[in-house]
Amino acid sequence: MRTIQFYRRDSRNFHLLYPLIFLSGLSSLIYEIVWIRQASFVFGSSTLAMSTVLAVFFLGLGLGSWLFGRIGSAAKQPLLWCAGIELLLAVNGLCTPALFAWADNLYGISYRHFDTHSALLLLIRASLVGLLLLPPALLMGGTLPLFCRQIIRDPARLSAKLSFIYGVNTVGAAVGCTVSGFLLLPTFGLAASLQVAAGLNVLTGLGFWWLSNKVEPSAPITPSQPLEPYYNRRLLLLAGWLFFMIGAAALANELIWARFLSNFIRNSVYTYTITLAVVLIGTAAGSLLLGPYFDRSKNPKALLISFGVLQALSATLLLLLTHLPASVWQGLQPWGLLPFILLMLPSTFIAGASFPLLNKIVTQQTELASKQIGMMTAVNIAGCIVGSVLTGFWLLPHIGLDAGIFISSAWTLAAAWLAIIFASSKNTPAFKARTSIYGGLSVWLLMLLWSPVRIPDDYLDPDDELLSITEGYNSNLAVVLRDQVKTLLIDRLWQGVETSNYQVMVAHIPMLHYPDAKDVLVIGLGAGNTARRFLRYDIKQLDIVDIEPRLFDFTRQHFPSRWMNDQRVHMIAEDGRNYVKHTSRHYDFISVEIGQLDRPGVSVFYTEEFYQQAAAKLNADGMICQFVPLSFLRPAEFAGVLKTFLSAFPNAQLWYNTDELLLIGFKGDIRQLSPEGFGKVTEEPSIGADFDLNYWGGDSYNLNSFPVFLGSFLASGAELNALANIAPATHYTDDKLQLSYSVSDFQHTDQRASALVPFIQQHLTPIMAAVTATAAPGIDLQTAAQVRDSNLADIIATDILGASTEHDSVESRRQRAQRALQINPKNIDAQDELQRAQQELNQPLPVRPKSFDSTQENLVEGPTTQQKHLQP
């Protein structure tokens, strides 16, 4: 008869094992979050790229669980194996930067050779991700079965022990997720976070090694008698299938929750951290609190009934919570974490309880606990992979969020039904359990047939008239009528309109400097308002890159799109940062039309590394243009954006374009303007029509006047460098992505742009610096300077108007409009708002002032623009 050697605990030291299990989970989540961030710089942050990374990571966990489950069943000193795993992870962690640099180089070579073969690139990416992440993920997956091999002794307490091991490890993972997302990454950066995780691995590994020497051997244990064939085969297969089903449902629900929350919570750099932390806390709580109760039953069928009831409850809660009226969830938005907790905690609590429950059914022999738990964990993770891939690439983009909720809940109900049907017999009819299934199914049918809630339609602004909505791979796309103007929204945020507006100048201002540019790259399509303007110049090729594959067809359907049929246009569904980094093409001009800095993934376009990559893809006389969205920035952040840009493009200019200023970088010398060149370009009818546009006033301030146009020039040279030093700031880098974290608290009522206007006015460059020396004497610089003052004043006026909320009284709206008009009497939006408020209050309209002093509010004292333009 085969015997297996176990080890007796030393009670004086064994209590240290659980802190080590906690630290093991903590370091693992630090690695996971850092790897996801680093992988985005190599492979891009598109859904396809990130899903590849996560799929490979989960595959490694599953393989490790299966492999070490088998190893653990025969291991005489499992803690020594744990020590070896932790030390190997430490070595891998310290080597991670070099490994990712190696993968980046190989992927770049492959990308440049096979950029038109998406399937081949996917295979190459998956292979490289596998080489990077499979070994450490495999090691991480091996810890749980080894912990079980060491700790689980008594079959009567199997569920309690497993739930405690699993719960403590998951609590550590939740802490690791929170610490890395809120402290390590924003404060210390990627490299330092890896060093912290590696240090924890060394500490944990040494702890496991020390404990292994404190455990003394005890008498051997004889394995239990073989179980009945019925239990061994049918029940084992059933449990495996249920493990797979709940794994698939768990990952599907995570993606569903993330997309659902985006309907009413502004997505920020912290959203993923919060979501994952709540999921892990709920899982740990379910395991720790309910796991011990499952040891009270030795009947596998009774445990299956408990499992079925829990899953039916989970499916019902998912349906009911997501189909509450939109106003309920929108009302919870100011409550911080409460929406996350209410939505995700119930289902994750049940999932955490289900893990020890099913393992209790499968594992009746303690000597086989390591092997069986490892095998079932691997099956569960296989379900996670399938659920994640199917939901991300088929369910959400092709079927939709609402249908995805019904399919996921139906899948969970099916798991519940399967468990209860298997457990039912003449002796155990399980009528109460069947009632829960019938109840869940009834709720499912009622919600499907009669629920008045439309997801995501109901979460749009009720004042907008919805014309069309579709769900993409990365975001929700909608077209609405807002103030009778067709408007594009992406995740409820304004992205563009069908009419000509300030966005067209993002193309025209740079092209006036370089009308001979031939190859143009635009990052960010939007409604196409900017991109199609480049085709009005004599260019050879226009490449448009956008991370959302669905946006191209959506824009084609709802906005002017004949220009998309131009043979010069090439549309590329790709992460823009990844494309610039790896493409073999070079450009005369790169336009980066991404400016909502509080959205995840946007700040990577404002780092030193990106600017260096862009400069490498520009031809010798190339240019780059980028938004500087003042509404998101405080002085230190504004200075950081400028300083980082100037580090790669020291020859640069800053131009006004509403509160989204334009930074233009020149790889060569700064190109200056002349009235003749301006006239030659704008005499072209298709281009000149766009210059019949003004930012804030009437036709007398249209941009087709060269002096009025020059009023948009703000700074270059020494003054631009001085602006970059108005506050202590460092270069923004990929390592920390400081900008993502510093702007995450943005609120539209902050009026940050107004606070920056005085700094800009202090550092205005003489207007003559923007024009050729021979042209300067003949230009009406006085008018240009007056317009520049009004442009800056209008930033404040617009900020005042933008601080309004839906709860404002008519009187507060009137006062706000009057205050804005004191700053810029010609602001049309303020005039209209005042007129509406006066009419609602039945008061006569005030007489509009004929002139204004731009130093009245928030502007610094000192020389005016009119005076500064004459300075040498």
Side-chain angles (χ1 to χ4, degrees):
M1 179 178 295
R2 184 173 62 93
T3 60
I4 298 176
Q5 186 75 29
F6 279 96
Y7 293 87
R8 179 170 54 83
R9 297 180 299 177
D10 185 331
S11 59
R12 293 170 297 177
N13 301 308
F14 199 74
H15 64 280
L16 293 175
L17 181 56
Y18 287 105
L20 295 176
I21 292 173
F22 172 88
L23 289 177
S24 178
L26 191 154
S27 62
S28 295
L29 255 292
I30 295 175
Y31 281 129
E32 180 182 344
I33 291 178
V34 170
W35 288 338
I36 290 173
R37 173 75 62 81
Q38 286 192 314
S40 71
F41 293 130
V42 178
F43 307 110
S45 57
S46 67
T47 300
L48 181 62
M50 288 297 96
S51 293
T52 305
V53 172
L54 288 174
V56 171
F57 179 75
F58 279 120
L59 177 62
L61 292 178
L63 290 175
S65 183
W66 173 81
L67 176 63
F68 282 94
R70 300 179 71 85
I71 292 173
S73 64
K76 295 182 178 180
Q77 292 183 295
L79 291 185
L80 279 181
W81 282 90
C82 292
I85 286 175
E86 295 295 330
L87 295 176
L88 286 174
L89 285 172
V91 173
N92 182 86
L94 295 175
C95 294
T96 291
L99 292 172
F100 271 93
W102 167 80
D104 184 37
N105 183 54
L106 285 182
Y107 186 66
I109 296 172
S110 303
Y111 194 99
R112 289 186 286 275
H113 283 86
F114 307 110
D115 58 346
T116 59
H117 299 81
S118 56
L120 183 57
L121 272 181
L122 175 61
L123 178 62
I124 294 171
R125 178 167 56 219
S127 300
L128 289 173
V129 172
L131 289 173
L132 288 174
L133 299 187
L134 267 181
L138 188 145
L139 292 172
M140 289 178 183
T143 53
L144 180 63
L146 290 171
F147 296 154
C148 294
R149 171 68 173 86
Q150 179 66 49
I151 295 174
I152 295 176
R153 299 284 197 274
D154 184 0
R157 300 190 62 204
L158 186 145
S159 182
K161 287 294 184 181
L162 175 59
S163 63
F164 197 68
I165 297 167
Y166 184 62
V168 169
N169 192 246
T170 306
V171 169
V175 173
C177 173
T178 305
V179 167
S180 59
F182 286 94
L183 176 63
L184 292 179
L185 290 181
T187 306
F188 303 106
L190 291 170
S193 297
L194 286 170
Q195 293 168 4
V196 169
L200 289 172
N201 288 142
V202 172
L203 177 65
T204 308
L206 291 176
F208 282 134
W209 173 80
W210 182 80
L211 274 180
S212 70
N213 294 323
K214 299 296 180 179
V215 177
E216 298 177 1
S218 62
I221 295 179
T222 303
S224 306
Q225 295 298 320
L227 298 175
E228 297 178 4
Y230 172 86
Y231 178 86
N232 273 334
R233 296 175 182 175
R234 293 186 61 189
L235 194 58
L236 192 64
L237 289 174
L238 173 68
W241 180 244
L242 293 177
F243 261 114
F244 179 88
M245 293 182 76
I246 64 172
L251 261 292
N253 287 343
E254 281 193 39
L255 295 175
I256 286 170
W257 291 327
R259 182 66 65 90
F260 179 77
L261 287 167
S262 70
N263 287 317
F264 54 92
I265 291 179
R266 180 169 51 86
N267 198 7
S268 77
V269 69
Y270 292 114
T271 303
Y272 177 75
T273 299
I274 294 171
T275 301
L276 185 56
V278 172
V279 168
L280 292 169
I281 290 170
T283 302
S287 180
L288 290 170
L289 296 178
L290 291 187
Y293 288 95
F294 302 135
D295 282 328
R296 297 180 178 181
S297 175
K298 296 181 179 180
N299 185 350
K301 292 188 176 182
L303 294 172
L304 279 174
I305 290 173
S306 299
F307 173 85
V309 172
L310 286 174
Q311 299 310 308
L313 178 61
S314 177
T316 304
L317 286 172
L318 175 65
L319 277 172
L320 292 176
L321 287 171
T322 53
H323 285 82
L324 290 173
S327 58
V328 173
W329 287 109
Q330 290 168 334
L332 292 174
Q333 183 178 355
W335 290 78
L337 293 178
L338 188 58
F340 294 89
I341 294 171
L342 290 178
L343 179 64
M344 294 182 287
L345 210 57
S347 292
T348 56
F349 184 90
I350 291 172
S354 299
F355 185 80
L357 192 160
L358 283 177
N359 271 297
K360 173 68 174 179
I361 295 172
V362 173
T363 309
Q364 296 293 313
Q365 299 168 293
T366 54
E367 60 269 25
L368 297 179
S370 175
K371 179 179 179 180
Q372 291 176 328
I373 290 172
M375 180 176 63
M376 289 302 160
T377 304
V379 172
N380 184 253
I381 291 173
C384 292
I385 296 172
V386 173
S388 175
V389 172
L390 285 180
T391 305
F393 291 103
W394 175 70
L395 204 57
L396 291 180
H398 294 284
I399 307 298
L401 174 60
D402 202 13
I405 293 170
F406 280 97
I407 292 173
S408 177
S409 55
W411 179 260
T412 307
L413 283 172
W417 181 265
L418 185 62
I420 291 175
I421 289 297
F422 187 91
S424 300
S425 67
K426 293 181 180 180
N427 297 324
T428 56
F431 289 129
K432 293 181 179 180
R434 288 190 178 186
T435 301
S436 68
I437 297 294
Y438 295 142
L441 184 59
S442 299
V443 170
W444 191 90
L445 289 172
L446 286 171
M447 300 297 289
L448 178 65
L449 297 175
W450 290 292
S451 173
V453 177
R454 301 173 305 159
I455 304 174
D457 308 39
D458 289 357
Y459 291 88
L460 297 175
D461 190 332
D463 294 332
D464 294 333
E465 179 185 346
L466 179 62
L467 300 180
S468 180
I469 190 166
T470 190
E471 297 174 64
Y473 287 86
N474 305 289
S475 52
N476 292 331
L477 312 175
V479 176
V480 300
L481 274 182
R482 178 173 292 179
D483 298 326
Q484 301 306 309
V485 177
K486 189 184 287 188
T487 304
L488 172 67
L489 305 178
I490 298 182
D491 284 340
R492 300 176 295 116
L493 298 177
W494 186 95
Q495 295 296 316
V497 295
E498 64 176 342
T499 57
S500 178
N501 67 349
Y502 75 94
Q503 287 180 319
V504 304
M505 302 314 296
V506 181
H508 292 308
I509 292 176
M511 291 302 288
L512 280 169
H513 289 82
Y514 196 1
D516 296 327
K518 299 301 180 184
D519 295 298
V520 176
L521 171 65
V522 175
I523 302 175
L525 171 62
N529 229 346
T530 303
R532 69 177 185 264
R533 260 64 192 191
F534 288 105
L535 296 174
R536 300 181 181 181
Y537 295 84
D538 186 24
I539 66 172
K540 287 170 41 182
Q541 182 164 327
L542 174 63
D543 291 343
I544 305 171
V545 178
D546 199 284
I547 197 171
E548 177 50 65
R550 287 283 174 82
L551 183 59
F552 297 107
D553 286 340
F554 195 70
T555 298
R556 186 187 294 273
Q557 293 170 11
H558 300 289
F559 294 92
S561 59
R562 290 176 57 188
W563 62 275
M564 290 184 169
N565 300 323
D566 193 305
Q567 293 182 350
R568 295 173 293 174
V569 176
H570 297 83
M571 290 175 285
I572 305 164
E574 175 65 280
D575 172 69
R577 169 70 185 265
N578 193 52
Y579 177 81
V580 169
K581 184 176 186 178
H582 295 305
T583 184
S584 59
R585 289 194 55 80
H586 286 73
Y587 296 94
D588 295 317
F589 179 60
I590 297 175
S591 179
V592 185
E593 297 179 31
I594 301 173
Q596 290 166 326
L597 290 173
D598 61 332
R599 299 185 67 175
V602 171
S603 67
V604 300
F605 293 95
Y606 289 80
T607 66
E608 190 172 16
E609 289 86 350
F610 170 69
Y611 293 137
Q612 292 170 351
Q613 294 160 10
K617 296 300 162 42
L618 286 173
N619 294 323
D621 294 324
M623 294 168 51
I624 185 172
C625 180
Q626 185 174 56
F627 290 135
V628 183
L630 299 185
S631 58
F632 293 92
L633 303 173
R634 302 179 185 88
E637 296 150 1
F638 179 58
V641 168
L642 297 182
K643 184 173 292 187
T644 307
F645 188 87
L646 291 171
S647 69
F649 299 99
N651 295 330
Q653 292 180 334
L654 186 66
W655 285 74
Y656 169 84
N657 193 41
T658 71
D659 62 355
E660 287 189 331
L661 306 186
L662 298 181
L663 258 179
I664 303 177
F666 301 82
K667 194 170 182 180
D669 294 333
I670 292 178
R671 297 169 178 268
Q672 296 174 311
L673 303 176
S674 68
E676 296 78 16
F678 180 85
K680 182 178 179 181
V681 171
T682 56
E683 283 172 5
E684 172 64 37
S686 62
I687 297 176
D690 281 343
F691 285 78
D692 290 332
L693 167 78
N694 60 81
Y695 288 111
W696 37 259
D699 290 343
S700 59
Y701 293 94
N702 282 355
L703 295 171
N704 53 16
S705 164
F706 189 52
V708 172
F709 178 81
L710 283 180
S712 297
F713 171 68
L714 297 176
S716 66
E719 296 293 355
L720 186 56
N721 279 278
L723 267 177
N725 290 284
I726 60 173
T730 58
H731 293 173
Y732 292 133
T733 65
D734 288 347
D735 186 61
K736 288 187 180 180
L737 291 183
Q738 304 100 313
L739 194 58
S740 289
Y741 297 98
S742 60
V743 303
S744 62
D745 61 347
F746 164 76
Q747 300 293 332
H748 80 277
T749 56
D750 289 345
Q751 300 189 46
R752 298 181 186 181
S754 298
L756 293 173
V757 169
F759 294 106
I760 297 172
Q761 197 193 29
Q762 282 180 322
H763 298 290
L764 294 172
T765 299
I767 289 177
M768 65 179 67
V771 297
T772 59
T774 56
I779 298 173
D780 184 0
L781 297 178
Q782 185 84 6
T783 296
Q786 291 173 347
V787 170
R788 182 156 71 172
D789 273 344
S790 298
N791 285 340
L792 291 173
D794 197 68
I795 292 175
I796 300 174
T798 302
D799 231 11
I800 293 171
L801 293 174
S804 63
T805 69
E806 59 182 6
H807 304 295
D808 284 350
S809 65
V810 177
E811 176 59 25
S812 65
R813 285 168 41 210
R814 185 186 68 81
Q815 292 178 2
R816 185 174 286 109
Q818 286 184 330
R819 188 173 168 219
L821 287 171
Q822 289 177 346
I823 305 302
N824 184 6
K826 295 181 174 61
N827 185 292
I828 294 176
D829 290 336
Q831 294 172 4
D832 292 342
E833 178 68 13
L834 180 61
Q835 184 175 8
R836 286 191 295 267
Q838 295 290 129
Q839 289 174 346
E840 292 181 40
L841 292 170
N842 295 317
Q843 294 181 3
L845 296 176
V847 178
R848 294 173 182 168
K850 296 181 180 180
S851 61
F852 77 103
D853 181 358
S854 63
T855 63
Q856 283 180 333
E857 179 172 336
N858 290 331
L859 302 183
V860 300
E861 297 181 0
T864 64
T865 302
Q866 290 92 327
Q867 296 167 332
K868 287 196 71 172
H869 83 275
L870 298 175
Q871 296 177 358

